[in-house]
Amino acid sequence: MTAGGADGGAIGALPAPVPLYGPTLDGDMPALYERMRREHGPVVPVAITPGVEAWLVLGHRELLHLTRDEQYFSHDPRRWTPLRDGRVPPDSPLIPLVGWRPALLFADGRQHRRMRSAVAEALGRLDGHELIRMVRSTAERLIAGFADRHEADLVPQYARMLPLQVVTQILGLDEERGPRLVEAIAAIVNPTAAATGANRRMGGILLELIEQKKRRPGADVTSWLLEHPVGLSDQEVLHNLVVIIVAGNQTTVNWIADTVRILLTDPGFRSSLARGHLTVDDALDLVLWRYPPTANFPGRYATRDLRFGGQHIRSGDMLILGLAGANADPEVLPEDGRPVVGNRSHLAFGAGPHTCPARDPARLITRTAVDTLRHRLPDLELAVPEDQLAWITSPWSKNLAGLPARFTAPQLAAGAATATHTADPGGSR
């Protein structure tokens, strides 16, 4: 068979992999994906660390098949050959991302549906109006913290802090545990060996939270997971919380940062938004098409030898969801190569039964964060030339390291500097 199933034929030697680490990632990523597509087709052999190989799926059609077919492509990383062979050591920075957990991200079939129902329903119980107030309050407080300096680095001082502070409230963490969790998450998302120790610290904090919520439930995601009728164990609650945090946090950071970057560097884009030709949601969708917050997402694991996307895949191989590359697949874009405003058929949140269950709250958080910043700092501008912006690269994403900006006349809401969990609902309008 071609892209989409097993053919039972002989499996030949693997082609030379393209490294998804080191200098390869320093240049123009869309150009890299297009070069990969020309040279290898929709499924590309890659190495995610030296000696650890996988397949990057760049074809839109192939990626949809990959995400929908659990017969040939499992979510269980215990099938991954390099992990079984001991080529991925326990202290590898890959482990927090691909180490098996009893969570929806690593399960197939009935077990996945069971856990997903609990997670989706817990997230669905979040009150949208209250979440907007929570995000706006946090945004107002962060802006007030740097307003008197008339300059800020909007990645570490805003985009990176806002989702972390909001998620600690959503999970029901108190003022003592919340900052500790923020610190641990910040270490985990950096691709270094330190991520393993931070992973343990995060687990300890969340176990304390679970015990607290079993004694004193609240109106929060942790309590709702514990009381859900599917009967999640404490370990399942713990690891599904980890997935919500790790999979959701950095993507929201990137979504906020890249949207603000485009507003500061594309005059036409900013003008269209100011004149009402584009809405903030239109801006968010265009960012999801062009710069999805997670460019490449691990992973699926072949359950048997098969031919897929023109490549011979071995049982136990990892296949990575090339979300950025699939969004740019010429087969699905208009002739001019530009996504159509209002078109949400991008793959930024994945597809199939594992589509991100947090996409709606993530959009609400990002929209409110961007909207509040625009209203409070209306003359915001980039403080350095665009080509001097620094980036952090990994096999999974290319993240802004900083976004230095300046402004002259902040328009702060009354009491923003001392606001905590609530704020004037009309404050940023």
Side-chain angles (χ1 to χ4, degrees), residues 71-91:
Q71 179 182 0
Y72 290 105
F73 306 110
S74 171
H75 297 78
D76 190 336
R78 292 172 296 186
R79 294 178 177 268
W80 189 27
T81 300
L83 201 61
R84 294 201 316 266
D85 291 350
R87 286 187 279 136
V88 182
D91 60 350

Side-chain angles (χ1 to χ4, degrees), residues 301-324:
Y301 307 91
T303 61
R304 64 201 72 184
D305 293 350
L306 61 116
R307 186 166 176 81
F308 180 69
Q311 302 285 8
H312 293 290
I313 312 297
R314 289 183 171 90
S315 177
D317 282 358
M318 175 196 281
L319 296 100
I320 298 169
L321 282 63
L323 305 175

